[in-house]
Amino acid sequence: ILAQGEQPASVVFGNRSDAMSTGVTVSDDCIQKFNDMKLKHDCKYIIYKISDDKSQIVIDEVGAKDSNYATFKEKLLGTEARYGVIDFHYETDDGRPQDKLLFVFWSSDDAGVKSKMLYAGSKDAVKRNLQGIAKELQANDASDLDEAEVTKFCKK
Protein backbone atom coordinates (compact mmCIF):
# COMPACT_ATOMS: atom_id res chain seq x y z
CA ILE A 1 0.00 0.00 0.00
CA LEU A 2 1.35 3.38 -0.98
CA ALA A 3 1.37 6.28 1.43
CA GLN A 4 -0.43 9.39 0.23
CA GLY A 5 1.64 11.06 -2.51
CA GLU A 6 3.92 8.05 -3.14
CA GLN A 7 4.36 6.83 -6.72
CA PRO A 8 4.61 3.18 -7.80
CA ALA A 9 8.13 2.00 -8.71
CA SER A 10 7.31 1.40 -12.38
CA VAL A 11 5.30 3.93 -14.33
CA VAL A 12 3.63 3.10 -17.64
CA PHE A 13 2.97 5.87 -20.14
CA GLY A 14 0.28 4.96 -22.68
CA ASN A 15 1.12 1.50 -24.00
CA ARG A 16 4.86 2.00 -23.58
CA SER A 17 6.60 0.98 -20.39
CA ASP A 18 9.73 2.95 -19.66
CA ALA A 19 10.98 0.23 -17.34
CA MET A 20 11.95 -2.55 -19.76
CA SER A 21 14.11 -5.41 -18.51
CA THR A 22 17.16 -4.06 -20.37
CA GLY A 23 16.36 -0.43 -19.60
CA VAL A 24 16.14 0.30 -23.35
CA THR A 25 13.07 2.30 -24.42
CA VAL A 26 11.51 2.77 -27.85
CA SER A 27 11.68 6.29 -29.28
CA ASP A 28 8.42 7.93 -30.35
CA ASP A 29 9.90 8.38 -33.85
CA CYS A 30 10.09 4.58 -34.24
CA ILE A 31 6.42 4.18 -33.45
CA GLN A 32 5.33 7.12 -35.61
CA LYS A 33 7.32 6.00 -38.65
CA PHE A 34 5.97 2.44 -38.34
CA ASN A 35 2.40 3.76 -38.17
CA ASP A 36 3.05 5.92 -41.25
CA MET A 37 4.43 2.88 -43.07
CA LYS A 38 1.44 0.76 -42.06
CA LEU A 39 -1.26 3.32 -42.87
CA LYS A 40 0.24 5.53 -45.58
CA HIS A 41 2.58 2.97 -47.21
CA ASP A 42 5.19 5.73 -47.47
CA CYS A 43 8.25 3.43 -47.25
CA LYS A 44 9.22 -0.19 -47.97
CA TYR A 45 11.11 -0.95 -44.77
CA ILE A 46 12.44 0.46 -41.51
CA ILE A 47 15.57 -0.76 -39.75
CA TYR A 48 15.92 -0.02 -36.05
CA LYS A 49 19.00 -0.10 -33.84
CA ILE A 50 19.88 0.46 -30.22
CA SER A 51 21.43 3.90 -29.76
CA ASP A 52 25.15 4.23 -29.04
CA ASP A 53 24.44 5.07 -25.39
CA LYS A 54 22.25 1.92 -25.20
CA SER A 55 19.27 3.86 -23.84
CA GLN A 56 16.83 3.87 -26.76
CA ILE A 57 15.75 2.02 -29.86
CA VAL A 58 15.99 4.46 -32.75
CA ILE A 59 15.56 4.44 -36.53
CA ASP A 60 18.73 3.36 -38.33
CA GLU A 61 17.44 3.50 -41.90
CA VAL A 62 14.24 3.90 -43.88
CA GLY A 63 13.86 2.26 -47.29
CA ALA A 64 12.20 4.29 -50.02
CA LYS A 65 8.83 3.12 -51.29
CA ASP A 66 10.44 1.65 -54.42
CA SER A 67 13.10 -0.29 -52.47
CA ASN A 68 13.08 -4.07 -52.60
CA TYR A 69 13.69 -7.04 -50.31
CA ALA A 70 17.26 -7.53 -51.59
CA THR A 71 18.20 -4.03 -50.39
CA PHE A 72 16.59 -4.66 -46.99
CA LYS A 73 18.50 -7.94 -46.63
CA GLU A 74 21.79 -6.31 -47.66
CA LYS A 75 21.36 -3.55 -45.07
CA LEU A 76 20.66 -6.06 -42.29
CA LEU A 77 23.58 -8.30 -43.23
CA GLY A 78 25.92 -5.31 -42.98
CA THR A 79 25.30 -5.14 -39.21
CA GLU A 80 25.77 -7.36 -36.16
CA ALA A 81 22.24 -7.00 -34.82
CA ARG A 82 19.15 -4.99 -35.80
CA TYR A 83 15.38 -5.04 -35.87
CA GLY A 84 13.60 -4.52 -39.15
CA VAL A 85 10.09 -4.24 -40.45
CA ILE A 86 9.36 -4.71 -44.13
CA ASP A 87 6.21 -4.57 -46.18
CA PHE A 88 6.90 -7.99 -47.69
CA HIS A 89 5.23 -8.76 -51.03
CA TYR A 90 4.77 -12.30 -52.33
CA GLU A 91 2.29 -14.47 -54.21
CA THR A 92 0.12 -17.12 -52.60
CA ASP A 93 0.17 -20.67 -53.94
CA ASP A 94 -2.87 -19.88 -56.07
CA GLY A 95 -1.21 -16.78 -57.58
CA ARG A 96 -2.84 -13.99 -55.57
CA PRO A 97 -0.61 -11.04 -54.60
CA GLN A 98 -0.14 -10.71 -50.84
CA ASP A 99 1.57 -8.19 -48.54
CA LYS A 100 2.48 -8.72 -44.90
CA LEU A 101 4.25 -6.54 -42.37
CA LEU A 102 7.16 -8.76 -41.40
CA PHE A 103 9.19 -8.08 -38.25
CA VAL A 104 12.77 -9.37 -38.52
CA PHE A 105 15.09 -9.76 -35.55
CA TRP A 106 18.57 -10.02 -37.06
CA SER A 107 21.35 -11.18 -34.75
CA SER A 108 24.42 -12.44 -36.57
CA ASP A 109 26.07 -15.58 -35.24
CA ASP A 110 29.27 -13.51 -35.32
CA ALA A 111 27.91 -10.73 -33.08
CA GLY A 112 29.33 -10.23 -29.61
CA VAL A 113 27.56 -11.83 -26.67
CA LYS A 114 26.70 -8.48 -25.02
CA SER A 115 25.19 -7.15 -28.24
CA LYS A 116 23.14 -10.31 -28.78
CA MET A 117 21.83 -10.23 -25.22
CA LEU A 118 20.93 -6.54 -25.36
CA TYR A 119 19.04 -6.92 -28.65
CA ALA A 120 17.31 -10.14 -27.55
CA GLY A 121 16.30 -8.60 -24.23
CA SER A 122 14.89 -5.48 -25.90
CA LYS A 123 13.01 -7.20 -28.74
CA ASP A 124 9.69 -7.42 -26.89
CA ALA A 125 9.77 -3.68 -26.20
CA VAL A 126 9.91 -3.02 -29.94
CA LYS A 127 7.24 -5.55 -30.85
CA ARG A 128 4.89 -4.34 -28.13
CA ASN A 129 4.97 -0.84 -29.58
CA LEU A 130 4.58 -1.78 -33.25
CA GLN A 131 0.93 -2.80 -33.50
CA GLY A 132 -0.05 -4.62 -36.69
CA ILE A 133 2.91 -6.91 -37.38
CA ALA A 134 1.68 -10.01 -39.22
CA LYS A 135 4.74 -12.28 -38.87
CA GLU A 136 7.96 -12.38 -36.86
CA LEU A 137 11.19 -13.91 -38.12
CA GLN A 138 14.43 -14.41 -36.20
CA ALA A 139 17.49 -14.62 -38.42
CA ASN A 140 21.02 -15.48 -37.33
CA ASP A 141 22.56 -16.41 -40.68
CA ALA A 142 22.31 -15.01 -44.21
CA SER A 143 20.45 -18.14 -45.33
CA ASP A 144 17.68 -17.33 -42.82
CA LEU A 145 17.02 -14.19 -44.88
CA ASP A 146 16.87 -15.94 -48.26
CA GLU A 147 13.85 -14.50 -50.07
CA ALA A 148 12.47 -17.91 -51.07
CA GLU A 149 12.69 -19.08 -47.42
CA VAL A 150 11.02 -15.91 -46.16
CA THR A 151 8.24 -16.31 -48.73
CA LYS A 152 7.69 -19.90 -47.60
CA PHE A 153 7.62 -18.68 -43.97
CA CYS A 154 5.01 -16.00 -44.79
CA LYS A 155 2.77 -18.53 -46.53
CA LYS A 156 2.43 -20.61 -43.32
Side-chain angles (χ1 to χ4, degrees):
I1 298 177
L2 298 175
Q4 190 173 7
E6 280 188 348
Q7 295 292 320
S10 176
V11 180
V12 176
F13 299 94
N15 67 345
R16 193 180 76 175
S17 173
D18 281 315
M20 297 297 144
S21 61
T22 60
V24 178
T25 61
V26 180
S27 79
D28 290 337
D29 289 345
C30 292
I31 300 165
Q32 184 60 53
K33 189 63 184 170
F34 172 78
N35 287 333
D36 288 348
M37 175 186 177
K38 179 175 68 173
L39 301 172
K40 298 177 185 174
H41 304 281
D42 64 349
C43 63
K44 181 69 173 175
Y45 65 82
I46 307 168
I47 296 176
Y48 302 100
K49 69 176 185 173
I50 295 177
S51 61
D52 292 339
D53 66 0
K54 297 177 181 33
S55 68
Q56 252 191 343
I57 295 166
V58 296
I59 295 173
D60 186 28
E61 184 164 335
V62 176
K65 221 162 119 169
D66 61 351
S67 296
N68 58 30
Y69 181 78
T71 304
F72 174 72
K73 177 182 172 182
E74 178 185 320
K75 298 293 183 180
L76 284 179
L77 291 177
T79 65
E80 281 193 349
R82 290 290 187 270
Y83 309 109
V85 176
I86 184 165
D87 189 359
F88 189 74
H89 178 76
Y90 63 97
E91 284 191 6
T92 61
D93 291 335
D94 60 2
R96 290 178 294 120
Q98 187 81 0
D99 290 296
K100 286 193 177 173
L101 286 176
L102 176 67
F103 177 83
V104 178
F105 170 37
W106 165 249
S107 182
S108 169
D109 284 334
D110 300 329
V113 174
K114 283 185 180 180
S115 177
K116 284 182 182 183
M117 289 178 66
L118 185 61
Y119 273 85
S122 302
K123 178 182 76 165
D124 286 340
V126 178
K127 284 181 30 194
R128 214 179 352 264
N129 285 285
L130 305 181
Q131 300 295 314
I133 292 170
K135 290 278 194 173
E136 175 189 341
L137 175 70
Q138 179 166 336
N140 303 97
D141 183 80
S143 64
D144 296 336
L145 292 171
D146 180 69
E147 190 166 2
E149 291 300 313
V150 174
T151 299
K152 194 184 313 179
F153 173 75
C154 284
K155 288 180 179 181
K156 289 182 188 175

